Structure formats: C-alpha cells, structure tokens
Amino acid sequence: MNHKLTYIALLLILTQFSFAQDKAKYKVWNPANDTLTVLEGQGWPKKVKDYYDRLPAKAEGLVRSDVWNLSKNNAGVNLRFRTNSNQIIVKYAVKGSLQMSHMPATGVSGVDLYAKDRDGKWLWSSGSFSFGDTITYRFNNLAEANDPDREYTLYLPLCNSLKWLEIYVPNEKSFAPMPLHREKPIVVYGTSIAQGACATRPGLAWTSILQRKLDQPVINLGFSGNGRLEKELIDLLTEIDAKLYVLDCLPNLTGISKEDLMNRIETSVLELQNKRPGVPILLTEHDGYTDELISPKRKTEYEKPNLALNETFKKLQEKGIKNIYLLSKNEIGQDIESMVDGVHPNDLGMMNYANAYEKIIKKILNQPEGNVNTAKPITQYRELPGYDWEKRHNQVLMRNKINPPQLVFMGNSITHFWAGEPLAHTARGTESWDKYFKDKNPINMGFGWDRIENVLWRVYHRELDGFAAKQIVLMIGTNNLQFNSDEEIADGLRVLIQGIKARQPEAKIFVLGVLPRKEMEPRIVKLNLLYAKVAQSLKVKYADAGNLFLNNTKKVNETLFTDGLHPNAQGYEKLGAFINKQITNN
C-alpha cells in the first residue's frame, strides 16, 4: 500500500446532549506520515521545510522574514480523499492565535469540508467544532449505510499554521487518500485578500471558490501585507510549471512611487515570460475601498496604482508582449456590502472576486460554457466499484505524453468497452478494433457513463493537449437521453465540438450519430437530425450508423448488442467497418 492507516480506540460522545460514551475503533490518517504526495495547493511539495509550508525550504533567507513567516500559513492548501463513512473527525493543532479582531476563528484557524456527488456536483458539509490546544471538527450524517465512496476535499486554515493533523473514520468504513491532480496549476501571487482575509471559513476564500468553479489546482501565494511584486518571489514563481500566473498585489503597493510600481510590474511580467514563455499572465487592479464615497482620499489611494497598472499594461502591449491580460476593479464589482473593514472582502466580496476571476480565466484558457448543463464541464464518478474515472483520465494523459495518438476516439462506455488503450476491464470488440484501427496509432478515450458535459470537462482538462491528431471520432450523447431534452443535448454537442476544434485545429473531426437504444429508437432518429445540423453548422463530418443496428421493424437488432445498448463483437465489427470507411474517405 502507498499510505499508512493505523487503528486506535477512541471514546466519543454520542450526542451533544448526553454524557453516554461508546467505545469504537477508528482508522486514523496523518497526511504527513503518508508515502503518497497528497497536499494540493503546494508549489514545492517535496522541497518544503515543514510539511504544510507554502514556500520551499530554500526560501528561508531569500525572502523577507515577514514573507517567510506568512508562508507557514496554510492558505489554499487542501487534501482529497475518498470514503463511504457517515462520520469524519478532523483533529489538529495550530501554532498561532486562533482568531483576529476582524476575522473569526473558523476562517483563521478552521478547516472546511467539501465533497462531490457521483455526478460531479459540489456539496458542502457543516460540522460541529471546538477550538483549543487541539481543534476538533466533527462531520456527521454524511452518508447512508450502503452508500459508495464519495470524494472529499478538506481545506486547511487560511491564516494559521498546522503543527499536525489527523483524520478519523470508523474502522469498518473505507478510506483512501487521493493523489495530486496532474494538471498545471493556476498560481496566485497577492496580498491578504488573496490569502483569504476575511473569509469566515477556508472554502470561502476566493482562490478556494475559484478552484471549485474551474475544477483545477490553484496555488495560493497570498501574503498578508506583503504582496509586493518582489524579485525573490517572482523568481520562485517561475519554478512552478503553471497554467496561468495571477499577479494581484496592488493593495500592498499604494505607498510607492508611480515609477517604482511601473518598473515592478514590467519587470515581473518580463521575468515570468522569459522563464515560462507562453504562459498567460493576468494582472489585477486594486479593487478599491467601500468607504471611498465618504473618504475621497481613499479613492485616490487606489486610483493611482490602477492608473499606473493600466499605463504599464498598455506599454507592454505596445512592445509586442503577448499573453498578458487585465482584470479591472469594475469587473470585480465590490460595493458597500461586500467588505468587512473597507479593505478586506467578506464572504460576499470573496464570491465577487471568484466570479470575476472565473469569467476572465475561462476566456484566457478558451473554456466557454453554454446555458444548459450539457454545456457546462463537470466530472463524474458513476461507474461500477473498482472503476476510477479520474484514474482513467490520468492514464489518458500519460499515454498521450508517451505515445501521441494519431486517431482519437472520444465517447462513453460504448467506445470504452470496444478495445484499445488505455485498457478497460471489459473489451468486447478487440478483433474489429485491431482489424480497422490498430495500424493508425489509436487511443480509446471512452469513459463509462460519460455524458456530453463529462467529455467537455476532459477536453478542457488536457486530454487533447500536447499532440496533433489526424482524426478524431466523437460518439457521445446516449447517457444524456434520460436527463436532457434533444435541444439541450444538441447544444452541449455544439460547445463540445467547438472545444475540440480549438485544441485540435488540424484534426479531421467525425461525429457519429447516437446509436439506436432499446425502446428509444424513434427519439434517437429525431435527435440525430439535430446532430447533423450541428455538425453541418460547424463544418465537421457527420454520419449515422443507426440503420446497421436496426431490424426490419426499425427496432434494435438485439443480436448485435449485449444489453440493447452496448454492442457485442458482431456489433463492433459492423461499427468498425462503418467508421473505417468514413475516416478512410475523409
């Protein structure tokens, strides 16, 4: 095993109204003792001095002592695990004061537990908590007796430093830590606002909200009062292989000259681009003060650095600097209701930040969404026990890196259970797969139970990045039939094809109509007419293989299926011949 689980006996109070105690055995997991790297939100996971630090050990002595001390705070650091337990207990100790005058203990020193359901929707769990030398959070009534594993994310304290942390679940329940995401992170360098002040709990810091909205790693390098675009920090940032750099430091740079500020901005941008060419950089204006209408002086304090930022931004663009973007104060949209002390956002202000960042970052990363759920990327964990959707996603990424494919099949279990790599636990058409596609360097990107929105997530999370395919075969939509209208399915298909084209502009895309499904044959005929229109409007090839799988009465020919949905070997032979003819003549 790659993680250590020990078993201990604890006395737990059954209810807050009773002194009755029950002896029970619990598993206890200490992440710091695990051989698996599990902490999300760290830029240097194997190079830190103390396990939960945000900067590498070498930063001590390189950065100012104030920055180093603040880097011991655990803002943005989180860990993921799976369990079917209806009870999770978190115990830990911190090094600093439990709370601040303007920020409660639940935000400064608390933890925060989120989960995903099997359809990828985020859930939040309220917990009872007690603060002291040892802080304890108890999360109860999380699952029913026979519920399968659920994925959890635990956010750590925003403005305090852990000494140790342990997670407990009942001995008879499953528990498994999850490995790090393999995606490049979004790296945020900023002030106390980025660090999380004054969120009431860690999951409501805007960087944490953004992480959930984008469903990808975010590294929080916010340092209260010390986000100053310093060379030492910029040099450290370049060591992180980022998807995007966010520089949100202006609230800590109001007291310096215009020339100094412009120089820091330009130097930071050029250094990042020199060390990480092509990585986008997002510069953020000062979000202002909520008392500026009463105090005109306060308005001047943020207007000057914002003018300097805009002047520098324009200057960089005129020099031909690419991949730089600007988020304005107006886009963030704070008002008199969204701050605690005129400076630091409350939970509403944090949401304003997250919404503004989500909007601009999706444009930067070319991740558009539609208005229906089929056009909104999301994960899933619906398959049979033993099937790990995220693990298969990582297998696809690894195979793409080792052996860049020329022919890509994207779809659901109908594609997944055909054959090819990454290998599935079921392969019903190996002979036809090898016969028609093996010599074309194919990859099978079919995932069991996938809907259109799940494939869209995979497209937006690198499954088509880093290589140039010749052809892409897309066969998706049957799992949306029970949840969406035909129009919603077609809308999702449109966004999905656009996402594929943006990442594989030279590939020839072939969209296959939804295959006939038992007792849904007439509806699928109508749906495929919409598919054909979408494909035509986006100038990609479309074909419908449905007639191959129907009998004389226009019903599913069950001799070609295992269950009225998934083809058997004979069905895959017919499908393989049909697709091969289409892509050969494409």
Side-chain angles (χ1 to χ4, degrees), residues 8-12 22-28 89 91 168:
I8 66 174
L10 296 175
L11 293 177
L12 293 178
D22 177 39
K23 291 183 178 180
K25 289 186 177 181
Y26 285 78
K27 300 174 183 179
V28 56
I89 302 171
K91 292 191 174 186
Y168 302 76

Side-chain angles (χ1 to χ4, degrees), residues 68-302:
W68 173 252
N69 292 334
L70 287 163
S71 76
K72 312 292 281 185
N73 293 169
N74 311 132
V77 180
N78 61 91
L79 52 90
R80 299 186 303 145
F81 54 87
R82 285 200 179 113
T83 180
N84 63 353
S85 179
N86 65 343
Q87 180 186 50
I88 297 172
I89 302 171
V90 183
K91 292 191 174 186
Y92 60 99
V94 295
K95 298 178 182 179
S97 299
L98 293 179
Q99 62 186 29
M100 301 178 186
S101 59
H102 63 325
M103 188 173 176
T106 51
V108 173
S109 306
V111 295
D112 212 357
L113 187 66
Y114 283 75
K116 279 185 174 182
D117 67 14
R118 298 184 74 77
D119 292 324
K121 180 181 178 181
W122 282 102
L123 312 170
W124 176 74
S125 176
S126 62
S128 61
F129 47 82
S130 61
F131 286 85
D133 291 339
T134 295
I135 301 172
T136 303
Y137 272 70
R138 288 185 170 87
F139 303 95
N140 296 313
N141 303 314
L142 298 174
E144 300 296 331
N146 297 319
D147 280 359
D149 286 357
R150 176 181 285 160
E151 176 186 333
Y152 288 90
T153 296
L154 183 73
Y155 293 98
L156 303 185
L158 293 170
C159 300
N160 219 325
S161 308
L162 289 179
K163 293 180 181 179
W164 56 269
L165 178 141
E166 294 175 338
I167 297 177
Y168 302 76
V169 298
N171 182 43
E172 68 274 13
K173 298 298 183 179
S174 65
F175 184 92
M178 296 180 66
L180 295 182
H181 283 106
R182 294 187 180 180
E183 284 194 74
K184 296 180 180 181
I186 294 170
V187 179
V188 178
Y189 173 31
T191 68
S192 56
I193 298 171
Q195 184 170 341
C198 289
T200 57
R201 47 186 176 84
L204 291 178
W206 71 256
T207 56
S208 300
I209 300 172
L210 183 68
Q211 176 197 347
R212 295 193 299 277
K213 283 178 171 289
L214 299 178
D215 208 3
Q216 57 190 25
V218 176
I219 294 177
N220 184 326
L221 294 178
F223 303 104
S224 181
N226 288 274
R228 302 180 185 176
L229 294 179
E230 294 169 298
K231 183 180 185 304
E232 296 81 5
L233 263 298
I234 297 297
D235 287 343
L236 287 170
L237 260 61
T238 65
E239 296 180 4
I240 303 174
D241 187 10
K243 179 177 290 186
L244 168 72
Y245 293 107
V246 177
L247 303 182
D248 189 354
C249 293
L250 261 59
N252 287 161
L253 292 169
T254 58
I256 67 174
S257 68
K258 175 184 177 182
E259 292 74 19
D260 188 3
L261 178 54
M262 292 182 67
N263 181 64
R264 292 191 192 203
I265 295 169
E266 181 173 358
T267 300
S268 298
V269 169
L270 295 179
E271 176 67 8
L272 288 171
Q273 289 211 335
N274 180 51
K275 296 289 183 60
R276 293 292 179 180
V279 178
I281 300 169
L282 175 57
L283 303 165
T284 306
E285 286 188 355
H286 194 314
D287 70 330
Y289 305 104
T290 54
D291 58 352
E292 65 188 52
L293 297 178
I294 292 178
S295 175
K297 180 182 177 182
R298 298 279 274 173
K299 186 175 183 180
T300 302
E301 287 181 18
Y302 78 76

Side-chain angles (χ1 to χ4, degrees), residues 421-483:
E421 295 183 0
L423 296 174
H425 59 275
T426 299
R428 299 189 176 112
T430 302
E431 184 175 344
S432 58
W433 179 277
D434 290 348
K435 175 181 177 181
Y436 294 113
F437 311 124
K438 188 174 183 179
D439 63 348
K440 294 179 173 63
N441 190 14
I443 186 171
N444 185 327
M445 292 188 190
F447 283 52
W449 288 96
D450 257 17
R451 301 171 191 160
I452 290 174
E453 57 266 32
N454 306 132
V455 182
L456 184 62
W457 187 97
R458 297 196 279 117
V459 168
Y460 284 176
H461 290 74
R462 297 179 52 224
E463 286 196 10
L464 294 180
D465 293 356
F467 66 95
K470 290 183 178 179
Q471 293 177 315
I472 297 174
V473 178
L474 178 63
M475 185 167 51
I476 192 67
T478 193
N479 290 325
N480 290 94
L481 290 168
Q482 293 175 296
F483 305 95

Side-chain angles (χ1 to χ4, degrees), residues 376-391:
K376 298 180 185 295
I378 197 168
T379 61
Q380 60 102 337
Y381 190 62
R382 291 186 287 264
E383 190 43 288
L384 300 172
Y387 173 86
D388 190 326
W389 190 88
E390 183 174 319
K391 180 179 179 181

Side-chain angles (χ1 to χ4, degrees), residues 553-571:
T553 63
K554 299 298 181 181
K555 298 294 183 181
V556 162
N557 182 348
E558 297 194 41
T559 65
L560 301 176
F561 292 87
T562 62
D563 53 6
L565 171 64
H566 299 93
N568 55 23
Q570 186 180 352

